[in-house]
């Protein structure tokens, strides 16, 4: 009986030991599962946080792009309005100038009431007539001064030797060229 009791006690101790080990293993497994679950939840929260941040950044970027686009449209609108304003001012100044001055000199009430009747052809003909009058005056002055030069030149040449006379005539040639240049310059300035 002692031997039987000893065996039973040893068997009970072994069983209790096995149960303790089994309980310890179960505890370890449960702890591992709990840790894994916590880690998974933490990772899930981190991922959701990152997605949320990324979404916020994307929305901020979109808002910034939209704001920039609106600002650019506003600037273009302001620039366009400024250009239109300048153009209108320029046109008004030109109209005022055209009302103030005309091709004939001062504006008469008749010419103010009929500005459309002045065509480019009539303007050209008026300016051409003015030019011809100016040119005629210049030509008269030049021809009279050339005649005086030729008369005094002839008088001098009669007193000079043939050699001196040819030298003087050669020297007078640039003077006639300069007269022609001044004539063309006067014509251009009158134009």
């Amino acid at each position: 009986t002692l031997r039987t009791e000893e065996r039973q006690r040893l068997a009970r101790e072994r069983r209790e030991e096995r149960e303790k080990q089994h309980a310890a293993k179960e505890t370890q497994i449960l702890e591992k599962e709990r840790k894994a679950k916590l880690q998974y939840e933490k990772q899930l929260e981190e991922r959701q946080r990152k997605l949320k941040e990324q979404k916020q950044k994307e929305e901020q970027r979109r808002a910034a792009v939209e704001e920039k686009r609106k600002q650019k449209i506003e600037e273009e609108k302001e620039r366009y309005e400024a250009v239109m304003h300048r153009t209108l001012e320029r046109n008004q100044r030109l109209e005022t100038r055209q009302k103030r001055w005309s091709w004939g000199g001062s504006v008469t009430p008749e010419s103010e009431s009929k500005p459309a009747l002045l065509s480019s052809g009539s303007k050209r003909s008026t300016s051409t007539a003015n030019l011809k009058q100016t040119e005629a005056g210049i030509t008269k002055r030049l021809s009279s001064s050339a005649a005086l030069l030729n008369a005094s030149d002839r008088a001098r040449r009669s007193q000079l030797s043939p050699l001196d006379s040819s030298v003087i005539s050669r020297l007078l040639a640039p003077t006639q060229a300069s007269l022609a240049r001044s004539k063309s310059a006067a014509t251009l300035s009158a134009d």
Side-chain angles (χ1 to χ4, degrees):
T1 55
L2 283 173
R3 212 179 276 172
T4 306
E5 282 177 8
E6 186 67 27
R7 278 183 199 158
Q8 284 176 352
R9 188 180 62 75
L10 286 172
R12 195 168 51 242
E13 282 178 1
R14 280 197 297 267
R15 195 168 49 245
E16 284 175 359
E17 189 65 34
R18 274 199 306 269
E19 283 174 0
K20 278 182 183 176
Q21 285 176 356
H22 191 313
K25 278 183 183 177
E26 278 186 7
T27 308
Q28 282 179 351
I29 289 168
L30 285 171
E31 187 63 28
K32 279 183 181 177
E33 283 178 358
R34 189 180 67 79
K35 282 182 179 177
K37 191 177 178 183
L38 282 172
Q39 192 174 359
Y40 174 73
E41 286 174 356
K42 195 176 178 182
Q43 284 176 348
L44 196 65
E45 283 177 7
E46 187 69 22
R47 196 176 299 146
Q48 285 176 347
R49 188 181 61 78
K50 282 183 179 177
L51 283 170
K52 195 175 179 181
E53 283 179 1
Q54 192 174 353
K55 195 175 179 181
Q56 283 178 345
K57 281 181 184 176
E58 188 67 26
E59 284 175 1
Q60 285 174 352
R61 191 185 63 79
R62 276 198 203 120
V65 167
E66 185 64 24
E67 185 64 32
K68 202 171 183 181
R69 189 181 68 82
K70 282 180 182 176
Q71 192 176 357
K72 194 173 181 183
I73 288 170
E74 191 64 33
E75 285 174 0
E76 285 176 2
K77 188 179 174 184
E78 286 174 4
R79 199 177 302 126
Y80 175 75
E81 285 175 356
V83 167
M84 289 300 292
H85 185 69
R86 281 198 302 269
T87 307
L88 286 171
E89 280 183 351
R90 197 179 306 131
N91 287 345
Q92 285 174 353
R93 280 199 302 267
L94 284 171
E95 284 174 12
T96 309
R97 231 180 263 154
Q98 284 173 355
K99 283 178 184 176
R100 218 180 292 152
W101 307 102
S102 73
W103 286 93
S106 63
V107 177
T108 60
E110 193 175 294
S111 62
E112 276 182 6
S113 62
K114 300 174 186 176
L117 295 176
L118 281 174
S119 65
S120 60
S122 65
K123 287 177 186 175
R124 268 194 225 111
S125 62
T126 309
S127 62
T128 309
N130 289 343
L131 179 65
K132 283 179 181 175
Q133 287 173 359
T134 310
E135 193 178 330
I138 291 168
T139 309
K140 275 182 186 176
R141 274 187 245 130
L142 288 173
S143 60
S144 63
S145 54
L148 286 170
L149 281 171
N150 287 337
S152 61
D153 185 38
R154 276 192 224 106
R156 277 193 221 115
R157 280 188 197 163
S158 62
Q159 297 169 1
L160 296 172
S161 66
L163 179 64
D164 292 337
S165 175
S166 66
V167 169
I168 288 171
S169 65
R170 262 190 273 141
L171 287 171
L172 284 173
T175 308
Q176 289 167 353
S178 67
L179 285 172
R181 276 197 301 275
S182 66
K183 179 182 175 183
S184 65
T187 306
L188 286 173
S189 67
D191 191 22

